[in-house]
């Protein structure tokens, strides 16, 4: 009788493990994943990221944006890092051509430092997740623990990017629809949008709000008039497409709640920014974040941890790349 019960218990455990692996197994991500195999991985990555940041501030927005673009296509698996001799990898998509090189370089440098101490142990996907957290902290944002255990993906195709990243023209419904596919809520949408307080944007990403918004108004009426004039001065009609401006007109170097204060004041750069305040369904959350740094920080941490679980590969899935830009095979 005892043997039958033991056998039944083994069967139940096996079935549970199989089911976990079949779900993509986000439950297998744990904060201390490398405690035995590479116990110093977090300090190694943090040092490499800090060194890169000391060379250029762009390290912060570039790395954070790279993490987001990676997770939304194929999941958080560093597939965006792959370089293809044919120019057909994920990073070659038109939607990814604006990703700054400093983000890629940050991960590559951190990976090289980790490989020197723990060869073929830590995935590029985990290093990117750690680096994303580290740049948030360097930017004055909240610190948080990062779950680890991701494997690097085996697919990286430019053709699979289109339609999987939010556009600057999106309204709230479009944003919610895209994010919900990744188990991210409207509050997560609003919190992650706070990263737009960092970095820069090319003029053509918002020019329609200045010169061709509608038949009745060339300028988007939701824009603060003085801000619109400021944008027109920096981005005149038919400006060189390489010209870019700060995304946050007040403070483009800190991860903070000023972004939400800008939205309330009509100073959101993209339609997908300003709609978060102009749509009544999301306005109260924006106001809460604008009034409370703590509310924003808590929601941002929750959203970043959830983002890091999107379609992860674990266990026997994927691989551990020794070079983040190339598949092992």
């Amino acid at each position: 009788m005892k043997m039958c019960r033991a056998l039944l218990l083994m069967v139940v455990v096996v079935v549970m493990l199989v089911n976990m692996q079949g779900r993509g197994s986000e439950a297998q991500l744990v904060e201390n994943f490398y405690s035995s195999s590479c116990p110093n991985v977090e300090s190694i990555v943090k040092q490499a990221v800090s060194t890169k940041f000391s060379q250029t501030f762009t390290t912060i927005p570039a790395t954070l944006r790279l993490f987001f673009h990676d997770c939304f296509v194929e999941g958080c698996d560093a597939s965006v890092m792959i370089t293809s001799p044919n120019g057909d990898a994920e990073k070659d998509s038109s939607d990814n051509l604006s990703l700054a090189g400093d983000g890629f370089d940050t991960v590559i440098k951190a990976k090289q430092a980790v490989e020197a101490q723990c060869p073929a142990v830590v995935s590029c996907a985990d290093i990117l997740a750690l680096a994303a957290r580290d740049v948030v902290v360097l930017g004055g944002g909240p610190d948080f623990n990062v779950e680890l255990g991701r494997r690097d993906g085996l697919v990286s195709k430019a053709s699979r990017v289109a339609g999987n990243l939010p556009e600057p023209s999106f309204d709230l419904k479009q944003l919610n629809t895209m994010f919900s596919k990744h188990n991210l809520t409207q509050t997560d949408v609003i919190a992650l949008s706070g990263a737009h307080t960092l970095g820069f944007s090319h003029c053509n990403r918002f020019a329609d709000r200045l010169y061709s918004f509608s038949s009745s108004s060339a300028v988007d009426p939701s824009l603060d008039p003085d801000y619109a004039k400021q944008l027109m001065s920096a981005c005149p009609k038919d400006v060189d497409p390489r010209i870019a401006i700060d995304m946050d007109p007040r403070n483009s170097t800190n991860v903070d709640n000023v972004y939400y204060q800008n939205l309330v004041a009509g100073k959101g750069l993209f339609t997908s920014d300003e709609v978060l305040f102009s749509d009544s369904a999301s306005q109260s959350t924006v106001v809460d974040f604008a009034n409370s740094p703590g509310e924003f920080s808590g929601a941002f941490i929750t959203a970043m941890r959830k983002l890091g679980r999107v379609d992860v590969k674990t266990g026997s899935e994927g691989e551990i790349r020794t070079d983040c830009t190339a598949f092992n095979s």
Side-chain angles (χ1 to χ4, degrees):
M1 188 70 173
K2 288 183 179 179
M3 183 175 290
C4 288
R5 285 179 179 171
L7 185 60
L8 179 61
L9 182 60
M10 285 180 63
V11 170
V12 170
V13 170
V14 169
V15 169
M16 287 176 65
L17 288 173
V18 169
N19 286 340
M20 284 178 69
Q21 288 186 336
R23 289 200 316 265
S25 253
E26 66 179 38
Q28 291 182 30
L29 294 182
V30 292
E31 292 173 12
N32 61 347
F33 187 83
Y34 298 104
S35 59
S36 299
S37 57
C38 191
N40 296 323
V41 62
E42 296 206 32
S43 60
I44 298 170
V45 172
K46 186 174 294 186
Q47 181 57 55
V49 173
S50 296
T51 298
K52 178 67 181 177
F53 171 64
S54 69
Q55 297 164 356
T56 171
F57 171 80
T58 310
T59 299
I60 295 179
T63 305
L64 196 53
R65 189 162 180 246
L66 187 67
F67 180 56
F68 181 88
H69 278 234
D70 181 53
C71 291
F72 261 49
V73 182
E74 309 294 351
C76 306
D77 64 353
S79 52
V80 74
M81 298 292 300
I82 293 295
T83 298
S84 166
N86 303 317
D88 59 359
E90 200 173 300
K91 67 183 294 187
D92 300 309
S93 162
S94 59
D95 289 333
N96 282 333
L97 291 180
S98 62
L99 290 172
D102 287 308
F104 293 96
D105 192 49
T106 298
V107 179
I108 290 169
K109 293 285 175 55
K111 174 63 171 176
Q112 290 170 346
V114 171
E115 283 294 305
Q117 294 194 37
C118 311
V121 169
V122 183
S123 68
C124 298
D126 276 346
I127 289 174
L128 175 52
L130 287 169
R133 184 272 310 277
D134 292 342
V135 296
V136 167
V137 175
L138 285 170
D143 198 356
F144 56 93
N145 295 330
V146 177
E147 297 169 317
L148 301 168
R150 300 166 189 80
R151 305 274 288 185
D152 296 322
L154 300 172
V155 175
S156 182
K157 294 183 178 179
S159 60
R160 294 169 75 155
V161 176
N164 288 310
L165 292 169
E167 296 290 340
S169 59
F170 271 12
D171 60 24
L172 184 63
K173 182 179 179 181
Q174 290 170 310
L175 288 169
N176 283 339
T177 298
M178 178 168 285
F179 278 65
S180 66
K181 293 177 184 176
H182 303 301
N183 197 34
L184 295 165
T185 66
Q186 178 174 287
T187 300
D188 297 327
V189 172
I190 300 169
L192 290 171
S193 295
H196 283 179
T197 191
L198 296 165
F200 56 87
S201 170
H202 291 91
C203 295
N204 62 357
R205 299 293 281 175
F206 55 86
D208 60 324
R209 299 187 72 198
L210 303 175
Y211 303 110
S212 58
F213 183 71
S214 70
S215 57
S216 59
S217 176
V219 181
D220 185 343
S222 69
L223 276 171
D224 173 78
D226 289 336
Y227 184 47
K229 290 176 184 175
Q230 180 183 331
L231 293 177
M232 288 178 183
S233 175
C235 297
K237 261 189 178 180
D238 304 318
V239 69
D240 186 326
R242 293 171 295 182
I243 298 297
I245 67 163
D246 288 339
M247 293 176 70
D248 185 333
R250 287 175 56 193
N251 186 351
S252 61
T253 59
N254 288 346
V255 180
D256 54 29
N257 69 327
V258 170
Y259 165 81
Y260 304 98
Q261 296 170 9
N262 289 339
L263 297 189
V264 174
K267 297 179 180 179
L269 186 60
F270 301 139
T271 297
S272 60
D273 291 319
E274 195 57 48
V275 73
L276 299 179
F277 176 70
S278 60
D279 195 308
S280 59
S282 51
Q283 187 178 96
S284 62
T285 304
V286 170
V287 172
D288 285 345
F289 289 173
N291 291 333
S292 173
E295 287 281 330
F296 161 63
S297 293
F300 187 77
I301 289 171
T302 297
M304 283 291 287
R305 283 169 62 90
K306 287 173 67 176
L307 176 62
R309 299 174 191 139
V310 171
D311 294 334
V312 294
K313 286 83 179 166
T314 59
S316 60
E317 304 167 312
E319 64 181 10
I320 302 295
R321 280 185 233 135
T322 53
D323 175 358
C324 290
T325 68
F327 297 120
N328 290 341
S329 57

